[in-house]
Amino acid sequence: MKRTLTVCPYCGCGCMFYLVSDKGRLIGVEPSTTHPINRGGLCVKGWNAFAFVHHPDRLTTPLVRRDGALQPASWDEALTLVVERLRGVQEKHGADAVMFASSAKATNEENYLLMKLARAVFGTNNIDHCARLCHSSTVTGLAETFGSGAMTNSVSCIDQTDLILVIGSNTTEQHPLIGSRILNAARNGTRLIVADNRRIRLARHADLHLRHKNGSDVPLLLGIMHVIIAEELGDPDFIAARTENYAALAAAAANWTPERAAAATGLTSAEIVATARLYAGAKRAMIFYSMGITQHSHGVDNVRGIAALAMLTGNVGRPGTGVNPLRGQNNVQGGCDMGALPDLYCGYQKVADPQLRDKFARAWGVAYLPETPGLPLTRAMDAASAGYIQGMFIMGENPMISDPDQGHAFTALQNLELLVVQDIFLTETALLADIVLPAACYAEKEGTFTNTERRIQRLRKAVEPPGGARADGEIICDLAERAGYQGMRYSSPAKVMDEIATLTPIYGGIAYDRLDPHGLQWPCPNRSHPGTPLLHVERFTRGLGHFSPVVHRLPAEIPDDEYPLVLTTGRTYFHWHTGSMTRRTHLLDREEPRSFIELHPDDAARLGVRDRDALLVTSRRGEIETQARVTTMVIPGVVFMPFHFAEGAANALTNNVLDPESSIPEFKVCAVRVEKLP
Ligand SMILES: Nc1nc2c(c(=O)[nH]1)N[C@H]1C(S)=C(S)[C@@H](COP(=O)(O)OP(=O)(O)OC[C@H]3O[C@@H](n4cnc5c(=O)[nH]c(N)nc54)[C@H](O)[C@@H]3O)O[C@H]1N2
Ligand SMILES: Nc1nc2c(c(=O)[nH]1)N[C@H]1C(S)=C(S)[C@@H](COP(=O)(O)OP(=O)(O)OC[C@H]3O[C@@H](n4cnc5c(=O)[nH]c(N)nc54)[C@H](O)[C@@H]3O)O[C@H]1N2
Ligand code: SF4
Ligand SMILES: [Mo]
């Protein structure tokens, strides 16, 4: 039996475990006992992370559509065709008629390579990844206020804080090893405030549970700040020494009396006053947030409000404080760090800056790099349905199930002249492709993932990929070579990281020989630097912290007579997003085998619905059938659905309206009607 130390392929906690294999087959996992986050534990997905690897549905050979059907092809044929057809689309419609979607499931090295391929070889900045659907509001909002969009603190700070505010994060289910750390802290006396109208597990242990209306976080935060300012509970020394533009924030909060905030949120003014006093009264307070904050048409404003609350009370730059956006996918932090973003190279270096363009052009040995920022993923889908984008290369994403408004996503993908999908399974998106490329999964390759606390960790090859499947990085380099570019010849992923280090100041000191056993946290500018657990200590990354005033806007779609309920969407503990991996893991699928919708007993009674009844759910975009789960998890007037299930897909209903600044969709609020099926 062989044990291979590697990183969990699911969530941003970045737990490490040993893959146990026997005669080339995985038979289990053993958690690392020394890892700073999982410390000998794993959640149920981690314990089962070996199971999908040998699933018979794994893609083993390239597929090319002939006579309307996907048929096996050789690598040579498939890759030549990808290059020819991408070039063909560009010749006909221009360089920016193609879009590259990168993957938060792929490694840092692979994300770097795909962004290099898009920019240096195909001459377009049209590259993005699922961070657009996830924390793009954070990247925009925290870059503006702090200068860096990553978690300010480390997970270990949970053990050193006096108070934790969890807002819009179902931490025990979605970041389980961080959630259990918060639960333990709460049991040991750390105060806990949960602002989320679902009765999530953390809420049951909270000092205060705020069940405010979906989409009302801006008035909630303004109301809290109003009380802090009025009662002089803030930190004037911190504001004076470390921040700018405070007057504008104070003016924005001035009208938000607790009474007005109560009316806008559905809370009582006493709850808002109590929250303000409890949060501001803590010596050290941490904020954790996730999709309940970001996935709104005002997601960036939500993030600005959170940043302002932390600065108002001096809760940045010390252990046990900070603003901590929990990054979702195992390597979504890395996907952003590596520049799989339309406006940024690796290390958040702007493509619009001529000096930086020059630096990358010289390093990559090309005469020209495109100047104008590319399209965000969500806007590219709009552009595809309007006919401007004609070719898409999608690596490790499944937008047919994960994009808002499935009908719209389907039209966009159907309209394309060329769709290439590189995945480990034949997903709903791959079924629409012209060419499918079979990828190796995490257990079959070397590389690094960067977790939510900016920790860059090594994954290692434990077994061979099935059949002809190849690592994403190898496929990308092969494509570059066939496109006539010689600057992507590497003897190993370690060499790719060496190149990343020379071009990316925050990764400047990263090299494989330094990453054992549990990685380094960026910024790590040089080889003798120990990494950085805590950001913004003496100064903010941008210099002074910036207070951005926020204005309250309602969600784009609010309930009316025709669609009287608010639908909010999210996840469950057992499944991962579009289910490609977890629905192929018997022990996980057994726990949550089908699509369901949570609704409050009052709404159920009004509709004559009982638990487990079959329901029809309709929005302005579409309708689906699903099963009732009658529960006080939700508040009256709000229904919740996970988006994991292709049959009964929540995204057939969701609204693809975008935040104007970050282009994130409003996954967390739309209006629906629920009816009992006969
Ligand atoms: N098991 C599992 N774990 C996962 C994932 C998975 O698919 N499965 N996905 C990963 C990824 S990529 C991500 S991004 C994270 C997401 O992690 P989370 O953001 O924690 O998960 P969600 O279920 O999307 O939403 C969290 C909460 O937001 C609340 N919410 C909805 N609307 C609002 C609002 O207007 N205001 C506030 N304050 N709260 C609101 C919901 O009630 C819900 O409890 O999870 C990661 N972890
Ligand atoms: N309604 C609603 N929709 C949402 C959200 C929501 O809260 N509500 N949340 C949004 C968020 S935050 C996110 S992050 C997105 C996630 O959306 P997606 O990223 O589309 O979802 P995943 O299922 O994680 O897709 C990952 C794909 O990568 C494949 N894969 C796994 N490993 C590898 C590999 O090593 N190489 C390659 N090439 N492929 C691999 C998997 O088989 C899978 O098809 O969903 C978004 N959609
Ligand atoms: S908490 Fe996240 S990283 Fe850890 S085992 Fe579970 S899914 Fe994997
Ligand atoms: Mo995400």
Side-chain angles (χ1 to χ4, degrees):
M1 283 206 294
K2 191 174 91 176
R3 292 159 83 242
T4 311
L5 182 63
T6 196
V7 189
C8 178
Y10 285 114
C11 92
C13 289
C15 300
M16 290 188 74
F17 52 62
Y18 294 87
L19 279 171
V20 185
S21 58
D22 189 23
K23 302 190 189 75
R25 286 192 67 90
L26 299 177
I27 53 173
V29 308
E30 263 175 37
S32 158
T33 52
T34 50
H35 189 270
I37 291 180
N38 61 296
R39 304 187 291 187
L42 290 174
C43 81
V44 70
K45 292 176 298 302
W47 280 113
N48 287 284
F50 68 99
F52 70 83
V53 175
H54 301 304
H55 195 281
D57 289 352
R58 282 290 301 276
L59 288 167
T60 56
T61 175
L63 304 171
V64 171
R65 189 171 297 279
R66 293 191 207 96
D67 308 322
L70 285 169
Q71 298 184 4
S74 69
W75 273 109
D76 188 46
E77 184 192 355
L79 293 183
T80 308
L81 203 59
V82 171
V83 172
E84 266 175 31
R85 294 199 53 192
L86 280 172
R87 288 277 196 234
V89 168
Q90 290 190 311
E91 272 154 32
K92 226 159 87 191
H93 308 282
D96 291 334
V98 301
M99 177 77 200
F100 291 83
S102 200
S103 178
K105 285 265 162 273
T107 64
N108 285 318
E109 293 74 7
E110 291 163 342
N111 276 280
Y112 172 81
L113 290 171
L114 193 69
M115 84 102 182
K116 183 172 172 183
L117 183 82
R119 292 183 160 132
V121 183
F122 286 94
T124 180
N125 282 319
N126 283 343
I127 177 156
D128 203 359
H129 71 293
C130 70
R132 185 64 47 198
L133 309 176
C134 186
H135 269 296
S136 55
S137 316
T138 298
V139 174
T140 306
L142 290 189
E144 177 185 292
T145 49
F146 294 175
S148 163
M151 248 176 88
T152 62
N153 286 51
S154 291
V155 172
S156 60
C157 282
I158 293 170
D159 306 339
Q160 306 166 47
T161 190
D162 304 310
L163 179 141
I164 300 171
L165 166 60
V166 176
I167 180 163
S169 154
N170 185 1
T171 328
T172 58
E173 295 201 26
Q174 266 56 80
H175 292 88
L177 270 287
I178 296 176
S180 57
R181 192 96 156 220
I182 295 175
L183 272 184
N184 277 340
R187 285 196 192 105
N188 292 332
T190 303
R191 313 304 294 270
L192 178 62
I193 306 174
V194 172
D196 183 325
N197 63 32
R198 285 180 80 221
R199 183 175 287 135
I200 57 173
R201 189 153 163 237
L202 282 181
R204 297 169 209 163
H205 302 264
D207 295 280
L208 282 170
H209 179 201
L210 306 174
R211 304 188 84 178
H212 58 308
K213 286 188 214 161
N214 300 77
S216 71
D217 296 273
V218 165
L220 172 64
L221 292 162
L222 285 170
I224 293 170
M225 291 193 279
H226 177 97
V227 175
I228 292 174
I229 294 169
E231 299 190 0
E232 295 182 6
L233 305 173
D235 185 339
D237 296 338
F238 185 90
I239 294 170
R242 300 279 317 263
T243 70
E244 62 184 24
N245 211 32
Y246 170 68
L249 187 269
N255 292 325
W256 284 95
T257 59
E259 293 68 30
R260 184 170 169 216
T265 54
L267 299 171
T268 63
S269 48
E271 284 177 304
I272 291 168
V273 172
T275 305
R277 289 180 186 159
L278 192 57
Y279 177 80
K283 273 210 188 71
R284 289 164 299 188
M286 295 185 89
I287 302 177
F288 287 95
Y289 75 86
S290 197
M291 298 302 98
I293 284 299
T294 58
Q295 290 175 332
H296 292 278
S297 56
H298 53 269
V300 180
D301 280 337
N302 282 344
V303 172
R304 289 184 175 117
I306 286 178
L309 176 61
M311 290 193 291
L312 181 62
T313 50
N315 275 309
V316 190
R318 289 179 291 133
T321 68
V323 171
N324 299 289
L326 291 171
R327 304 303 302 254
Q329 294 261 32
N330 55 328
N331 197 35
V332 67
Q333 184 63 55
C336 293
D337 298 347
M338 291 301 106
L341 294 169
D343 51 341
L344 300 168
Y345 297 117
C346 42
Y348 306 94
Q349 303 175 82
K350 291 193 167 72
V351 299
D353 181 330
Q355 276 179 341
L356 291 171
R357 271 204 312 278
D358 196 48
K359 162 176 141 174
F360 280 91
R362 267 188 283 126
W364 292 343
V366 292
Y368 162 84
L369 284 173
E371 297 166 21
T372 36
L375 284 175
L377 199 54
T378 41
R379 308 243 177 232
M381 294 300 272
D382 292 345
S385 56
Y388 300 116
I389 291 284
Q390 287 287 353
M392 255 193 213
F393 185 103
I394 300 179
M395 167 170 90
E397 289 191 345
N398 188 8
M400 264 306 289
I401 306 296
S402 60
D403 254 36
D405 188 355
Q406 192 172 51
H408 174 265
F410 181 70
T411 312
L413 296 173
Q414 280 280 301
N415 263 355
L416 296 170
E417 219 170 278
L418 172 68
L419 174 61
V420 183
V421 173
Q422 180 167 310
D423 206 294
I424 62 173
F425 290 111
L426 195 63
T427 61
E428 292 75 9
T429 307
L431 281 171
L432 302 176
D434 302 291
I435 305 166
V436 177
L437 304 174
C441 77
Y442 81 105
E444 299 151 356
K445 62 188 176 188
E446 305 280 324
T448 57
F449 291 149
T450 304
N451 83 348
T452 188
E453 59 169 15
R454 297 172 275 105
R455 186 182 293 277
I456 303 150
Q457 312 187 110
R458 276 188 72 178
L459 52 142
R460 287 184 177 78
K461 180 168 175 171
V463 291
E464 290 298 326
R470 296 170 67 187
D472 293 286
E474 284 176 37
I475 304 173
I476 297 165
C477 292
D478 199 339
L479 286 171
E481 197 72 32
R482 283 162 198 268
Y485 178 68
Q486 274 127 46
M488 271 159 80
R489 293 178 179 161
Y490 305 91
S491 53
S492 68
K495 297 286 183 219
V496 183
M497 183 51 84
D498 292 344
E499 180 174 315
I500 294 168
T502 62
L503 288 168
T504 316
I506 54 175
Y507 277 62
I510 304 300
Y512 277 25
D513 60 5
R514 294 194 66 202
L515 295 181
D516 282 329
H518 299 130
L520 286 167
Q521 285 173 280
W522 68 254
C524 176
N526 59 59
R527 285 207 58 130
S528 50
H529 195 284
T532 312
L534 191 56
L535 298 182
H536 317 300
V537 174
E538 249 132 46
R539 55 190 291 281
F540 282 90
T541 307
R542 72 180 290 282
L544 291 175
H546 184 82
F547 279 104
S548 299
V550 279
V551 180
H552 174 39
R553 284 181 285 135
L554 287 172
E557 195 177 67
I558 41 180
D560 56 17
D561 290 346
E562 214 183 331
Y563 301 100
L565 295 168
V566 169
L567 169 71
T568 190
T569 62
R571 306 159 158 76
T572 67
Y573 178 54
F574 295 100
H575 279 302
W576 192 263
H577 296 156
T578 70
S580 68
M581 294 141 78
T582 50
R583 296 198 77 193
R584 290 188 175 89
T585 302
H586 174 67
L587 281 165
L588 300 176
D589 203 42
R590 194 178 67 188
E591 296 294 327
E592 286 293 8
R594 68 179 65 81
S595 169
F596 66 88
I597 190 165
E598 292 177 355
L599 77 166
H600 190 273
D602 293 356
D603 292 321
R606 201 170 31 79
L607 294 162
V609 167
R610 284 181 312 179
D611 200 39
R612 293 171 189 252
D613 278 354
L615 301 180
L616 181 71
V617 188
T618 315
S619 80
R620 287 187 176 79
R621 271 84 37 203
E623 59 174 42
I624 55 159
E625 291 181 19
T626 186
Q627 194 183 60
R629 195 169 281 182
V630 179
T631 167
T632 53
M633 274 291 282
V634 289
I635 57 174
V638 175
V639 290
F640 168 85
M641 268 192 92
F643 70 101
H644 309 301
F645 305 95
E647 65 295 353
N651 278 324
L653 307 167
T654 49
N655 190 355
N656 73 337
V657 63
L658 306 178
D659 180 304
E661 295 175 277
S662 65
S663 301
I664 202 168
E666 192 146 66
F667 283 125
K668 288 292 182 264
V669 182
C670 74
V672 295
R673 178 171 68 235
V674 171
E675 292 152 281
K676 189 175 159 172
L677 281 170

